[in-house]
Amino acid sequence: MFEYNWNRELQSLGLTHAGVMALDVISREGSLTQAQVAHKVGVQAQTIGKTLSRLESYGHIARERNTADRRSYLMVITDKGRAALGEALQIEQQLAGTGVLEHDELRNALEQVIRDLSNTDTMPLQVVQDTMAHLPEDSRIVAEDLNSSSSASA
């Protein structure tokens, strides 16, 4: 939900989440090749290509010939890119502070995750407690001792 709202707000700046990540890396690291940007962002060079082209078309970055290797280009952030990055970070802070994270949809999604997790191989706590309550006294003491010894070693 947060990322959806953030991406919607970023559209007016000509940015996406991936674009902000790339701009941030170029802003912090300086001039980088496409492969270097991809490595720092954690994606393949081919994957970042479209993002960098979009950033360039909006004037957020410029490609300059690499003097060390004339076959490649360096990505450099422009003044417009710095301004857009600053606005994007403000949008992120505003959304994080507006209670988007407390929204009913998020709460419902988290409750669904909890329900889904309880349907996995791991036994839900309530099932364990109900089972323990129905055990004979001697068995319950043994089970509680096993539980307390495994908790102490964790």
Side-chain angles (χ1 to χ4, degrees):
M1 184 70 173
F2 175 83
E3 188 169 349
Y4 171 79
N5 286 333
W6 192 38
N7 274 324
R8 196 175 69 212
E9 294 287 329
L10 292 176
Q11 285 177 345
S12 66
L13 301 172
L15 292 173
T16 62
H17 182 193
V20 171
M21 290 172 54
L23 269 182
D24 185 51
V25 164
I26 296 167
S27 174
R28 283 185 288 113
E29 302 285 330
S31 303
L32 298 170
T33 65
Q34 178 173 323
Q36 290 170 324
V37 174
H39 176 73
K40 302 250 183 215
V41 172
V43 297
Q44 296 292 320
Q46 297 83 355
T47 304
I48 202 76
K50 186 175 180 180
T51 299
L52 294 174
S53 293
R54 181 182 172 108
L55 290 172
E56 184 179 25
S57 72
Y58 277 93
H60 298 311
I61 65 167
R63 293 176 196 250
E64 297 179 351
R65 185 72 72 179
N66 185 349
T67 56
D69 180 359
R70 298 201 40 84
R71 296 170 295 169
S72 68
Y73 289 88
L74 296 174
M75 310 302 130
V76 295
I77 192 166
T78 63
D79 290 340
K80 185 175 180 181
R82 274 189 200 80
L85 179 60
E87 288 182 54
L89 297 176
Q90 284 180 332
I91 290 168
E92 179 184 19
Q93 289 175 345
Q94 288 170 351
L95 286 175
T98 59
V100 170
L101 300 177
E102 299 171 3
H103 197 274
D104 285 341
E105 287 176 312
L106 178 60
R107 184 176 10 277
N108 291 340
L110 290 174
E111 288 173 353
Q112 183 62 48
V113 168
I114 292 167
R115 282 192 296 274
D116 291 345
L117 287 174
S118 70
N119 291 330
T120 65
D121 292 338
T122 305
M123 183 102 29
L125 180 59
Q126 188 59 51
V127 172
V128 172
Q129 290 172 337
D130 289 346
T131 303
M132 294 273 293
H134 292 91
L135 287 174
E137 183 68 25
D138 294 341
S139 298
R140 200 169 39 236
I141 292 170
V142 170
E144 288 171 351
D145 286 344
L146 285 173
N147 184 39
S148 65
S149 66
S150 67
S151 296
S153 65

